[in-house]
Every structure is written in C-alpha cells, then in structure tokens.
Amino acid sequence: MNYWNRAWYSVSRRKGKSLILFAVIFVLGNVIAGAIAIQQSTGNVEKKMKQQLGATVTAEVDFDKLMEESDSMAAIQAPDPLKEETVKEIGKSRYVKDFDYSYSGYLTLGDFKSYQLEANDNVSYSVNGSMNVLTLKGTNKEEPADFTNKKIKLVDGKLPSKEELDSGLPVAVISKKVADENGLSVGDQMVLDTTVVSQKEDGSSESQEALKHSVKIVGLFEPVKLEEKKEDGKGGGLEQQFMEMDQFNTVYMSNKLVQSINQAEFEKGKELDPAAFEDADDRELITPVYNLKSPDDVDAFKEEMSALLPEGYKATASTDEFDKVGGSVKKLSTISGYVVVLAIAASLLIISLVVVLFLRDRKHEWGIYLSLGEKRKKIMKQVVLELLLISLVAMCLSLVTGNILGKMISESLVSSDALAEAQNAANQMLVFGGQSLGPTLTTDDIISNYEVTFSLTYIVTFLIAGLATVLLAAVLPLTYVMRLNPKKIMM
C-alpha cells in the first residue's frame, strides 16, 4: 500500500483524533481569517476614502505650534502672509498636477442677507443672531479648487471666464441659498452693502455704513457631500451645520476683484474708525491650493513643501480628513496585524504539539513500516499529507466563518463611540479655524464605505498563510519521525 492510501485510511479510521486536529485548526483558522479580513478591509476603506477625498494640499497657519510658543492667546503673533513667489516656487514640484492661490476677504454686511442657521431639533439654542458676514474667495483659475475637488457644484449659470478673471471684472458665483435669501438669480446685480463695527468706551458697539460693492451674479453653487444621505432625514451635528453655513456664505470671484474690495474696505475702515485701524496694515492673506498627481504623493509633497514654507505655517492635505476621523480604523488595522502574527505563532506551537502527541501513539506503526523497508522520506510525506487533508477542509470552512466573524467584530468597533468622538474633534477643529480642502468626512461615510467581503486577495492571502503555518507546524513532528529507531521500537 502506498503512502497516499495509508494517509487517507489513517485520517478516515482515526475519526476521534482527526476531529480533534480539525477543531484545533478550524478555531485557529477563524482567528487568522478574521484578522486578515479586517486588515485588508481597513486598508481598502482607507485607500477608497482617500481617493474620494482627492490629493489636495494647502498651507495654513500652524496655530498649535504658535500656542506652544506663546504664554497666552493674546500673546500669539500671526506670521507674515505667504508671498506669491513662495507659492509659485512650491508649485514647481514634480508631484503637482496644477495649483491655484486665493486671496480672501470678509465683509460685514448691512441689508444684504447671508445664510443663517435656523433653530431646530438638532440645535439647542438660537443662532439667528449670528454676524451677517460673507467670505470672499479669490481664484486665478476658470474652475476654482473647491469645484475641481468636488466640494461644491455649479447648479445654475457659469463660472467666471479667463478674461473676466484676468481683468478683475465684478462678477461672482454665490450659493443658491444666499441668492434665495435675497431674491436674486443668475444675471442679477447684487449690492454688497458693508458696515464697520466700532467699539465704544462703554463696551457697546456702533455700526456705520461703509461701502456698496455692485457685483454681477454669473453662477450659483451648492455644496457636495462625500456620501449623500438625504433620504434618512438626518441633518448632522451642530458642527456640521456650522461648516455648511460657512460654505453657503462664501463668494467666489477673481483674485484681482478680492484685492480691490479689500483695499477699498481697508481705506474706508481707516476713515470711519481711525483708532481701530491705527496699528493695522493692508497685508492680505493668500491661500495656495495644490492638486497632486496621486494621493500616494501626499506625504512626500508635504515634506517637500514644509521645507519651503516660512516659520509659522504647516502643510495640510485633504487626506488628513481621514486621519482625523478614521483613527479607529487605522488602530483596527494595526491590531489585526498583531493578531495575525500572534495567531500564526500560536498555531505553529499548538498544531505541532497536538501532532507530536498523536504520533507518539503511532510509533509502533512507524516501526513496522521502517522494519519492512519503507523509506523515512515516504513516512514523512504521509505525515504531511495527513495534515494537509485535515487542514484544507478546516481552512476552507474557516475561510467563510472567519470572514463573518471579522465582519461582526470590525463593524462593531468602527461604529464605536471612539470613532464618533474623533469625528466631533475634527469638526470642532474645522469650525474654529481649520480648513476643509475636500468634502467633509463623517462617521457615517466611514461606516458606509467599510465592507468586509470575499476577495481574491483575501482568499489567496489566507490560504498561503494557513498552509505555510501547517507546513511549518509539521517540522517538529517530522523531526520526531526522523529520530525513530525501528529496532528499539520493535523490542
């Protein structure tokens, strides 16, 4: 009888021992399969979300560093504004596909209405008394970065043409909500009547009329969310609503027009409130936006960019949004990696010991084979074949159950309070001075994109890891077989 037949009969006739070995490999296989499924799924969701977030990098003031270097908030000194020369020098990087830079301005309005939040079930206090402010955002490109990166979309009209941008004509794109608030549509002239708010000695404030800027509306936009979930009727948290309000109150126009309005407002402010503008200067903030060729280039470009930025600035990427919100996912990936290593190590030890214990009871069988002239090599092949017959069945079953186990565990952890807290912290950072380069990422977005499924990579990885573990576990039993002495066994 050849060793193939002997292996089959050994497995089928020793049902008790075969079932014990099967159970051991099945349980350990579930742990390995579940950990591999979680690890690959967390890697896939990170890659998928970062692809959706895009590869956009900007420079912003490093408030954390400035606060560390200052004794108090009042002592913080803002760094000098970025220079166009620095922005263009960074834009020459091999990682950059294209770039733009934006001058910004803030207008306190009189009769013109900005969009304000309304009190509802999600807001515990009234926000209708908020400042009536619009944000001006300049651009040199026919398609501003927020449109390119799918943060907002044009719903009516058009974007300013190259000629309108280069000449600084008074044309702009505003949100549909602000247009509706003021009864405006594409083609209308909107009059931005600004005010200067002065502080009196008694602590009260006085609002004085400043200037009126007449700008033609050429287009209307609406924000775009990463994952539309309007059908569930959820409006999001308060932080999310504040970010949306800020987006609705943004006006897109040429850099030249923003600079012109800023200069006019500065001169009028000095005239109406000389004391407040005594120590002020007319330096304007410039914000660069770099679109990279691939999300994989983000880390390398940020390192290269940081070396060129002046003191007090840092590089911020759109993919940082996932790093803020998806901390639990990344931790889950790290933990699952440790579990795979520990499970494989435990499998090597446990399977080796179980097989050695079973082989000790069969030493007379091996002695008979050896005394009859059977080669040790074939006996060793029989041992390996018996292991493979049992382990292949166990691993095929654990491939399915381990995937289910990994899905149950990971979904529970991904939707945990820790992830929700991470998202709230990220939202607060965005509300109080941070920047959002792409669509705002939420916990629901992570959960909806997180999916543990069967894939060819998962199956191949698990089978390779499982079979390699079983074969390595056979080393100790094979060493036992090699040391058998048929004469001593048969005496």
Side-chain angles (χ1 to χ4, degrees), residues 115-149:
Y115 171 72
Q116 300 293 325
L117 294 178
E118 295 180 359
N120 54 49
D121 294 337
N122 293 321
V123 183
S124 58
Y125 57 91
S126 174
V127 293
N128 292 322
S130 300
M131 291 288 289
N132 191 22
V133 175
L134 281 184
T135 300
L136 307 182
K137 198 165 187 178
T139 181
N140 290 323
K141 294 176 61 178
E142 293 181 63
E143 184 176 48
D146 288 345
F147 289 88
T148 304
N149 299 321

PDB file of all heavy atoms in Angstrom, residues 115-149:
ATOM      1  N   TYR A 115     -26.636  83.626   4.701  1.00  0.00           N
ATOM      2  CA  TYR A 115     -27.422  82.467   5.135  1.00  0.00           C
ATOM      3  C   TYR A 115     -27.166  82.216   6.613  1.00  0.00           C
ATOM      4  O   TYR A 115     -26.019  82.199   7.067  1.00  0.00           O
ATOM      5  CB  TYR A 115     -27.038  81.233   4.314  1.00  0.00           C
ATOM      6  CG  TYR A 115     -27.630  79.952   4.840  1.00  0.00           C
ATOM      7  CD1 TYR A 115     -28.982  79.668   4.703  1.00  0.00           C
ATOM      8  CD2 TYR A 115     -26.825  79.012   5.492  1.00  0.00           C
ATOM      9  CE1 TYR A 115     -29.521  78.497   5.191  1.00  0.00           C
ATOM     10  CE2 TYR A 115     -27.356  77.836   5.970  1.00  0.00           C
ATOM     11  CZ  TYR A 115     -28.700  77.575   5.829  1.00  0.00           C
ATOM     12  OH  TYR A 115     -29.225  76.400   6.320  1.00  0.00           O
ATOM     13  N   GLN A 116     -28.237  82.025   7.393  1.00  0.00           N
ATOM     14  CA  GLN A 116     -28.121  81.747   8.823  1.00  0.00           C
ATOM     15  C   GLN A 116     -28.829  80.444   9.158  1.00  0.00           C
ATOM     16  O   GLN A 116     -29.811  80.062   8.514  1.00  0.00           O
ATOM     17  CB  GLN A 116     -28.747  82.885   9.643  1.00  0.00           C
ATOM     18  CG  GLN A 116     -28.113  84.243   9.411  1.00  0.00           C
ATOM     19  CD  GLN A 116     -26.693  84.308   9.926  1.00  0.00           C
ATOM     20  OE1 GLN A 116     -26.365  83.699  10.937  1.00  0.00           O
ATOM     21  NE2 GLN A 116     -25.836  85.039   9.226  1.00  0.00           N
ATOM     22  N   LEU A 117     -28.305  79.765  10.177  1.00  0.00           N
ATOM     23  CA  LEU A 117     -28.954  78.536  10.635  1.00  0.00           C
ATOM     24  C   LEU A 117     -30.276  78.865  11.304  1.00  0.00           C
ATOM     25  O   LEU A 117     -30.438  79.920  11.918  1.00  0.00           O
ATOM     26  CB  LEU A 117     -28.061  77.803  11.634  1.00  0.00           C
ATOM     27  CG  LEU A 117     -26.740  77.229  11.117  1.00  0.00           C
ATOM     28  CD1 LEU A 117     -25.977  76.589  12.266  1.00  0.00           C
ATOM     29  CD2 LEU A 117     -26.994  76.201  10.028  1.00  0.00           C
ATOM     30  N   GLU A 118     -31.207  77.935  11.208  1.00  0.00           N
ATOM     31  CA  GLU A 118     -32.486  78.079  11.877  1.00  0.00           C
ATOM     32  C   GLU A 118     -32.544  77.109  13.046  1.00  0.00           C
ATOM     33  O   GLU A 118     -32.032  75.997  12.965  1.00  0.00           O
ATOM     34  CB  GLU A 118     -33.640  77.793  10.916  1.00  0.00           C
ATOM     35  CG  GLU A 118     -33.736  78.795   9.766  1.00  0.00           C
ATOM     36  CD  GLU A 118     -34.889  78.475   8.842  1.00  0.00           C
ATOM     37  OE1 GLU A 118     -35.582  77.472   9.108  1.00  0.00           O
ATOM     38  OE2 GLU A 118     -35.090  79.216   7.869  1.00  0.00           O
ATOM     39  N   ALA A 119     -33.160  77.538  14.131  1.00  0.00           N
ATOM     40  CA  ALA A 119     -33.286  76.662  15.301  1.00  0.00           C
ATOM     41  C   ALA A 119     -34.162  75.469  14.951  1.00  0.00           C
ATOM     42  O   ALA A 119     -35.218  75.606  14.345  1.00  0.00           O
ATOM     43  CB  ALA A 119     -33.900  77.429  16.473  1.00  0.00           C
ATOM     44  N   ASN A 120     -33.679  74.273  15.318  1.00  0.00           N
ATOM     45  CA  ASN A 120     -34.463  73.053  15.093  1.00  0.00           C
ATOM     46  C   ASN A 120     -34.111  72.044  16.173  1.00  0.00           C
ATOM     47  O   ASN A 120     -33.450  72.369  17.156  1.00  0.00           O
ATOM     48  CB  ASN A 120     -34.205  72.484  13.691  1.00  0.00           C
ATOM     49  CG  ASN A 120     -32.719  72.268  13.429  1.00  0.00           C
ATOM     50  OD1 ASN A 120     -32.013  71.681  14.238  1.00  0.00           O
ATOM     51  ND2 ASN A 120     -32.244  72.768  12.295  1.00  0.00           N
ATOM     52  N   ASP A 121     -34.534  70.799  15.979  1.00  0.00           N
ATOM     53  CA  ASP A 121     -34.319  69.774  16.999  1.00  0.00           C
ATOM     54  C   ASP A 121     -32.846  69.480  17.221  1.00  0.00           C
ATOM     55  O   ASP A 121     -32.444  69.007  18.279  1.00  0.00           O
ATOM     56  CB  ASP A 121     -35.041  68.475  16.607  1.00  0.00           C
ATOM     57  CG  ASP A 121     -36.541  68.648  16.611  1.00  0.00           C
ATOM     58  OD1 ASP A 121     -37.008  69.570  17.310  1.00  0.00           O
ATOM     59  OD2 ASP A 121     -37.235  67.876  15.917  1.00  0.00           O
ATOM     60  N   ASN A 122     -32.028  69.731  16.207  1.00  0.00           N
ATOM     61  CA  ASN A 122     -30.601  69.425  16.318  1.00  0.00           C
ATOM     62  C   ASN A 122     -29.809  70.573  16.944  1.00  0.00           C
ATOM     63  O   ASN A 122     -28.627  70.440  17.231  1.00  0.00           O
ATOM     64  CB  ASN A 122     -30.014  69.107  14.942  1.00  0.00           C
ATOM     65  CG  ASN A 122     -30.575  67.828  14.376  1.00  0.00           C
ATOM     66  OD1 ASN A 122     -30.769  66.871  15.109  1.00  0.00           O
ATOM     67  ND2 ASN A 122     -30.855  67.822  13.086  1.00  0.00           N
ATOM     68  N   VAL A 123     -30.438  71.761  17.093  1.00  0.00           N
ATOM     69  CA  VAL A 123     -29.755  72.917  17.642  1.00  0.00           C
ATOM     70  C   VAL A 123     -30.454  73.310  18.932  1.00  0.00           C
ATOM     71  O   VAL A 123     -31.646  73.593  18.939  1.00  0.00           O
ATOM     72  CB  VAL A 123     -29.765  74.098  16.641  1.00  0.00           C
ATOM     73  CG1 VAL A 123     -28.972  75.266  17.200  1.00  0.00           C
ATOM     74  CG2 VAL A 123     -29.190  73.660  15.306  1.00  0.00           C
ATOM     75  N   SER A 124     -29.707  73.334  20.006  1.00  0.00           N
ATOM     76  CA  SER A 124     -30.311  73.561  21.315  1.00  0.00           C
ATOM     77  C   SER A 124     -30.452  75.040  21.663  1.00  0.00           C
ATOM     78  O   SER A 124     -30.972  75.382  22.698  1.00  0.00           O
ATOM     79  CB  SER A 124     -29.468  72.870  22.399  1.00  0.00           C
ATOM     80  OG  SER A 124     -28.137  73.357  22.385  1.00  0.00           O
ATOM     81  N   TYR A 125     -29.941  75.935  20.799  1.00  0.00           N
ATOM     82  CA  TYR A 125     -30.052  77.355  21.068  1.00  0.00           C
ATOM     83  C   TYR A 125     -30.171  78.108  19.750  1.00  0.00           C
ATOM     84  O   TYR A 125     -29.853  77.597  18.699  1.00  0.00           O
ATOM     85  CB  TYR A 125     -28.843  77.871  21.859  1.00  0.00           C
ATOM     86  CG  TYR A 125     -27.536  77.624  21.190  1.00  0.00           C
ATOM     87  CD1 TYR A 125     -26.962  78.554  20.328  1.00  0.00           C
ATOM     88  CD2 TYR A 125     -26.846  76.433  21.403  1.00  0.00           C
ATOM     89  CE1 TYR A 125     -25.754  78.311  19.709  1.00  0.00           C
ATOM     90  CE2 TYR A 125     -25.639  76.169  20.780  1.00  0.00           C
ATOM     91  CZ  TYR A 125     -25.104  77.113  19.944  1.00  0.00           C
ATOM     92  OH  TYR A 125     -23.912  76.861  19.325  1.00  0.00           O
ATOM     93  N   SER A 126     -30.599  79.347  19.840  1.00  0.00           N
ATOM     94  CA  SER A 126     -30.810  80.134  18.628  1.00  0.00           C
ATOM     95  C   SER A 126     -29.492  80.632  18.073  1.00  0.00           C
ATOM     96  O   SER A 126     -28.616  81.074  18.788  1.00  0.00           O
ATOM     97  CB  SER A 126     -31.721  81.330  18.933  1.00  0.00           C
ATOM     98  OG  SER A 126     -31.815  82.171  17.808  1.00  0.00           O
ATOM     99  N   VAL A 127     -29.369  80.534  16.765  1.00  0.00           N
ATOM    100  CA  VAL A 127     -28.182  81.056  16.100  1.00  0.00           C
ATOM    101  C   VAL A 127     -28.559  82.155  15.108  1.00  0.00           C
ATOM    102  O   VAL A 127     -27.767  82.574  14.293  1.00  0.00           O
ATOM    103  CB  VAL A 127     -27.435  79.924  15.351  1.00  0.00           C
ATOM    104  CG1 VAL A 127     -26.860  78.950  16.327  1.00  0.00           C
ATOM    105  CG2 VAL A 127     -28.341  79.220  14.359  1.00  0.00           C
ATOM    106  N   ASN A 128     -29.820  82.622  15.197  1.00  0.00           N
ATOM    107  CA  ASN A 128     -30.272  83.630  14.250  1.00  0.00           C
ATOM    108  C   ASN A 128     -29.617  84.985  14.479  1.00  0.00           C
ATOM    109  O   ASN A 128     -29.688  85.866  13.625  1.00  0.00           O
ATOM    110  CB  ASN A 128     -31.798  83.770  14.336  1.00  0.00           C
ATOM    111  CG  ASN A 128     -32.497  82.526  13.835  1.00  0.00           C
ATOM    112  OD1 ASN A 128     -32.053  81.915  12.877  1.00  0.00           O
ATOM    113  ND2 ASN A 128     -33.582  82.138  14.487  1.00  0.00           N
ATOM    114  N   GLY A 129     -28.981  85.151  15.634  1.00  0.00           N
ATOM    115  CA  GLY A 129     -28.329  86.414  15.913  1.00  0.00           C
ATOM    116  C   GLY A 129     -26.885  86.442  15.474  1.00  0.00           C
ATOM    117  O   GLY A 129     -26.129  87.304  15.902  1.00  0.00           O
ATOM    118  N   SER A 130     -26.477  85.525  14.653  1.00  0.00           N
ATOM    119  CA  SER A 130     -25.088  85.448  14.214  1.00  0.00           C
ATOM    120  C   SER A 130     -24.732  86.657  13.359  1.00  0.00           C
ATOM    121  O   SER A 130     -25.591  87.329  12.806  1.00  0.00           O
ATOM    122  CB  SER A 130     -24.861  84.160  13.408  1.00  0.00           C
ATOM    123  OG  SER A 130     -25.148  83.042  14.193  1.00  0.00           O
ATOM    124  N   MET A 131     -23.449  86.919  13.231  1.00  0.00           N
ATOM    125  CA  MET A 131     -22.966  88.041  12.424  1.00  0.00           C
ATOM    126  C   MET A 131     -23.367  87.843  10.966  1.00  0.00           C
ATOM    127  O   MET A 131     -23.320  86.733  10.438  1.00  0.00           O
ATOM    128  CB  MET A 131     -21.450  88.132  12.547  1.00  0.00           C
ATOM    129  CG  MET A 131     -20.965  88.559  13.929  1.00  0.00           C
ATOM    130  SD  MET A 131     -21.290  90.294  14.258  1.00  0.00           S
ATOM    131  CE  MET A 131     -20.102  91.065  13.170  1.00  0.00           C
ATOM    132  N   ASN A 132     -23.768  88.950  10.336  1.00  0.00           N
ATOM    133  CA  ASN A 132     -24.160  88.923   8.930  1.00  0.00           C
ATOM    134  C   ASN A 132     -22.900  89.133   8.086  1.00  0.00           C
ATOM    135  O   ASN A 132     -22.546  90.258   7.747  1.00  0.00           O
ATOM    136  CB  ASN A 132     -25.195  90.019   8.666  1.00  0.00           C
ATOM    137  CG  ASN A 132     -25.846  89.877   7.307  1.00  0.00           C
ATOM    138  OD1 ASN A 132     -25.849  88.786   6.726  1.00  0.00           O
ATOM    139  ND2 ASN A 132     -26.386  90.957   6.800  1.00  0.00           N
ATOM    140  N   VAL A 133     -22.203  88.024   7.784  1.00  0.00           N
ATOM    141  CA  VAL A 133     -20.879  88.099   7.168  1.00  0.00           C
ATOM    142  C   VAL A 133     -20.819  87.218   5.919  1.00  0.00           C
ATOM    143  O   VAL A 133     -21.421  86.139   5.869  1.00  0.00           O
ATOM    144  CB  VAL A 133     -19.792  87.637   8.171  1.00  0.00           C
ATOM    145  CG1 VAL A 133     -18.421  87.601   7.510  1.00  0.00           C
ATOM    146  CG2 VAL A 133     -19.763  88.565   9.371  1.00  0.00           C
ATOM    147  N   LEU A 134     -20.102  87.692   4.913  1.00  0.00           N
ATOM    148  CA  LEU A 134     -19.785  86.894   3.726  1.00  0.00           C
ATOM    149  C   LEU A 134     -18.265  86.753   3.604  1.00  0.00           C
ATOM    150  O   LEU A 134     -17.518  87.674   3.933  1.00  0.00           O
ATOM    151  CB  LEU A 134     -20.329  87.555   2.457  1.00  0.00           C
ATOM    152  CG  LEU A 134     -21.807  87.409   2.131  1.00  0.00           C
ATOM    153  CD1 LEU A 134     -22.106  88.068   0.781  1.00  0.00           C
ATOM    154  CD2 LEU A 134     -22.241  85.949   2.106  1.00  0.00           C
ATOM    155  N   THR A 135     -17.832  85.596   3.130  1.00  0.00           N
ATOM    156  CA  THR A 135     -16.413  85.350   2.882  1.00  0.00           C
ATOM    157  C   THR A 135     -16.142  85.464   1.390  1.00  0.00           C
ATOM    158  O   THR A 135     -16.835  84.842   0.578  1.00  0.00           O
ATOM    159  CB  THR A 135     -16.012  83.944   3.359  1.00  0.00           C
ATOM    160  OG1 THR A 135     -16.258  83.836   4.759  1.00  0.00           O
ATOM    161  CG2 THR A 135     -14.534  83.681   3.089  1.00  0.00           C
ATOM    162  N   LEU A 136     -15.165  86.268   1.025  1.00  0.00           N
ATOM    163  CA  LEU A 136     -14.751  86.387  -0.371  1.00  0.00           C
ATOM    164  C   LEU A 136     -13.587  85.441  -0.624  1.00  0.00           C
ATOM    165  O   LEU A 136     -12.625  85.420   0.138  1.00  0.00           O
ATOM    166  CB  LEU A 136     -14.327  87.824  -0.692  1.00  0.00           C
ATOM    167  CG  LEU A 136     -15.329  88.938  -0.356  1.00  0.00           C
ATOM    168  CD1 LEU A 136     -14.759  90.279  -0.797  1.00  0.00           C
ATOM    169  CD2 LEU A 136     -16.683  88.676  -1.008  1.00  0.00           C
ATOM    170  N   LYS A 137     -13.669  84.663  -1.686  1.00  0.00           N
ATOM    171  CA  LYS A 137     -12.614  83.703  -2.003  1.00  0.00           C
ATOM    172  C   LYS A 137     -12.192  83.905  -3.455  1.00  0.00           C
ATOM    173  O   LYS A 137     -12.964  83.680  -4.380  1.00  0.00           O
ATOM    174  CB  LYS A 137     -13.114  82.272  -1.782  1.00  0.00           C
ATOM    175  CG  LYS A 137     -12.004  81.247  -1.659  1.00  0.00           C
ATOM    176  CD  LYS A 137     -12.551  79.948  -1.093  1.00  0.00           C
ATOM    177  CE  LYS A 137     -11.430  78.968  -0.801  1.00  0.00           C
ATOM    178  NZ  LYS A 137     -11.943  77.708  -0.208  1.00  0.00           N
ATOM    179  N   GLY A 138     -10.958  84.334  -3.632  1.00  0.00           N
ATOM    180  CA  GLY A 138     -10.476  84.619  -4.972  1.00  0.00           C
ATOM    181  C   GLY A 138      -9.856  83.416  -5.651  1.00  0.00           C
ATOM    182  O   GLY A 138      -9.536  82.412  -5.016  1.00  0.00           O
ATOM    183  N   THR A 139      -9.687  83.522  -6.966  1.00  0.00           N
ATOM    184  CA  THR A 139      -9.079  82.447  -7.747  1.00  0.00           C
ATOM    185  C   THR A 139      -8.476  83.026  -9.024  1.00  0.00           C
ATOM    186  O   THR A 139      -8.880  84.099  -9.489  1.00  0.00           O
ATOM    187  CB  THR A 139     -10.106  81.356  -8.094  1.00  0.00           C
ATOM    188  OG1 THR A 139      -9.467  80.316  -8.830  1.00  0.00           O
ATOM    189  CG2 THR A 139     -11.232  81.926  -8.934  1.00  0.00           C
ATOM    190  N   ASN A 140      -7.507  82.317  -9.579  1.00  0.00           N
ATOM    191  CA  ASN A 140      -6.934  82.656 -10.882  1.00  0.00           C
ATOM    192  C   ASN A 140      -7.384  81.680 -11.958  1.00  0.00           C
ATOM    193  O   ASN A 140      -7.079  81.856 -13.131  1.00  0.00           O
ATOM    194  CB  ASN A 140      -5.407  82.652 -10.815  1.00  0.00           C
ATOM    195  CG  ASN A 140      -4.875  83.818  -9.998  1.00  0.00           C
ATOM    196  OD1 ASN A 140      -5.416  84.913 -10.050  1.00  0.00           O
ATOM    197  ND2 ASN A 140      -3.824  83.577  -9.239  1.00  0.00           N
ATOM    198  N   LYS A 141      -8.067  80.600 -11.540  1.00  0.00           N
ATOM    199  CA  LYS A 141      -8.452  79.534 -12.459  1.00  0.00           C
ATOM    200  C   LYS A 141      -9.918  79.646 -12.857  1.00  0.00           C
ATOM    201  O   LYS A 141     -10.744  80.114 -12.065  1.00  0.00           O
ATOM    202  CB  LYS A 141      -8.191  78.171 -11.823  1.00  0.00           C
ATOM    203  CG  LYS A 141      -6.722  77.870 -11.575  1.00  0.00           C
ATOM    204  CD  LYS A 141      -6.543  76.552 -10.857  1.00  0.00           C
ATOM    205  CE  LYS A 141      -7.101  75.400 -11.686  1.00  0.00           C
ATOM    206  NZ  LYS A 141      -6.902  74.099 -11.015  1.00  0.00           N
ATOM    207  N   GLU A 142     -10.221  79.183 -14.035  1.00  0.00           N
ATOM    208  CA  GLU A 142     -11.613  79.199 -14.500  1.00  0.00           C
ATOM    209  C   GLU A 142     -12.481  78.262 -13.679  1.00  0.00           C
ATOM    210  O   GLU A 142     -13.680  78.484 -13.547  1.00  0.00           O
ATOM    211  CB  GLU A 142     -11.662  78.813 -15.985  1.00  0.00           C
ATOM    212  CG  GLU A 142     -11.015  79.835 -16.903  1.00  0.00           C
ATOM    213  CD  GLU A 142     -11.109  79.429 -18.357  1.00  0.00           C
ATOM    214  OE1 GLU A 142     -12.241  79.332 -18.883  1.00  0.00           O
ATOM    215  OE2 GLU A 142     -10.044  79.190 -18.969  1.00  0.00           O
ATOM    216  N   GLU A 143     -11.854  77.203 -13.133  1.00  0.00           N
ATOM    217  CA  GLU A 143     -12.581  76.306 -12.230  1.00  0.00           C
ATOM    218  C   GLU A 143     -11.871  76.328 -10.881  1.00  0.00           C
ATOM    219  O   GLU A 143     -10.826  75.703 -10.721  1.00  0.00           O
ATOM    220  CB  GLU A 143     -12.637  74.877 -12.776  1.00  0.00           C
ATOM    221  CG  GLU A 143     -13.478  73.952 -11.893  1.00  0.00           C
ATOM    222  CD  GLU A 143     -13.608  72.548 -12.481  1.00  0.00           C
ATOM    223  OE1 GLU A 143     -12.571  71.981 -12.880  1.00  0.00           O
ATOM    224  OE2 GLU A 143     -14.736  72.026 -12.522  1.00  0.00           O
ATOM    225  N   PRO A 144     -12.405  77.048  -9.896  1.00  0.00           N
ATOM    226  CA  PRO A 144     -11.756  77.115  -8.581  1.00  0.00           C
ATOM    227  C   PRO A 144     -11.569  75.734  -7.964  1.00  0.00           C
ATOM    228  O   PRO A 144     -12.274  74.778  -8.300  1.00  0.00           O
ATOM    229  CB  PRO A 144     -12.744  77.966  -7.757  1.00  0.00           C
ATOM    230  CG  PRO A 144     -13.487  78.767  -8.763  1.00  0.00           C
ATOM    231  CD  PRO A 144     -13.609  77.880  -9.967  1.00  0.00           C
ATOM    232  N   ALA A 145     -10.627  75.646  -7.030  1.00  0.00           N
ATOM    233  CA  ALA A 145     -10.261  74.361  -6.439  1.00  0.00           C
ATOM    234  C   ALA A 145     -11.445  73.656  -5.786  1.00  0.00           C
ATOM    235  O   ALA A 145     -11.564  72.424  -5.856  1.00  0.00           O
ATOM    236  CB  ALA A 145      -9.148  74.564  -5.407  1.00  0.00           C
ATOM    237  N   ASP A 146     -12.329  74.405  -5.137  1.00  0.00           N
ATOM    238  CA  ASP A 146     -13.474  73.783  -4.462  1.00  0.00           C
ATOM    239  C   ASP A 146     -14.401  73.084  -5.453  1.00  0.00           C
ATOM    240  O   ASP A 146     -15.063  72.094  -5.109  1.00  0.00           O
ATOM    241  CB  ASP A 146     -14.265  74.828  -3.666  1.00  0.00           C
ATOM    242  CG  ASP A 146     -13.516  75.278  -2.425  1.00  0.00           C
ATOM    243  OD1 ASP A 146     -12.546  74.595  -2.042  1.00  0.00           O
ATOM    244  OD2 ASP A 146     -13.902  76.308  -1.832  1.00  0.00           O
ATOM    245  N   PHE A 147     -14.467  73.575  -6.692  1.00  0.00           N
ATOM    246  CA  PHE A 147     -15.263  72.923  -7.727  1.00  0.00           C
ATOM    247  C   PHE A 147     -14.504  71.708  -8.271  1.00  0.00           C
ATOM    248  O   PHE A 147     -15.085  70.642  -8.485  1.00  0.00           O
ATOM    249  CB  PHE A 147     -15.575  73.892  -8.873  1.00  0.00           C
ATOM    250  CG  PHE A 147     -16.563  74.965  -8.516  1.00  0.00           C
ATOM    251  CD1 PHE A 147     -16.144  76.163  -7.957  1.00  0.00           C
ATOM    252  CD2 PHE A 147     -17.918  74.774  -8.734  1.00  0.00           C
ATOM    253  CE1 PHE A 147     -17.048  77.163  -7.634  1.00  0.00           C
ATOM    254  CE2 PHE A 147     -18.839  75.766  -8.423  1.00  0.00           C
ATOM    255  CZ  PHE A 147     -18.396  76.967  -7.858  1.00  0.00           C
ATOM    256  N   THR A 148     -13.208  71.876  -8.502  1.00  0.00           N
ATOM    257  CA  THR A 148     -12.388  70.780  -9.026  1.00  0.00           C
ATOM    258  C   THR A 148     -12.385  69.588  -8.091  1.00  0.00           C
ATOM    259  O   THR A 148     -12.453  68.429  -8.522  1.00  0.00           O
ATOM    260  CB  THR A 148     -10.934  71.259  -9.247  1.00  0.00           C
ATOM    261  OG1 THR A 148     -10.944  72.396 -10.101  1.00  0.00           O
ATOM    262  CG2 THR A 148     -10.087  70.161  -9.863  1.00  0.00           C
ATOM    263  N   ASN A 149     -12.319  69.864  -6.778  1.00  0.00           N
ATOM    264  CA  ASN A 149     -12.233  68.804  -5.775  1.00  0.00           C
ATOM    265  C   ASN A 149     -13.594  68.308  -5.306  1.00  0.00           C
ATOM    266  O   ASN A 149     -13.686  67.603  -4.298  1.00  0.00           O
ATOM    267  CB  ASN A 149     -11.419  69.294  -4.572  1.00  0.00           C
ATOM    268  CG  ASN A 149     -10.012  69.657  -4.964  1.00  0.00           C
ATOM    269  OD1 ASN A 149      -9.390  68.995  -5.780  1.00  0.00           O
ATOM    270  ND2 ASN A 149      -9.491  70.740  -4.386  1.00  0.00           N
TER     271      ASN A 149
END
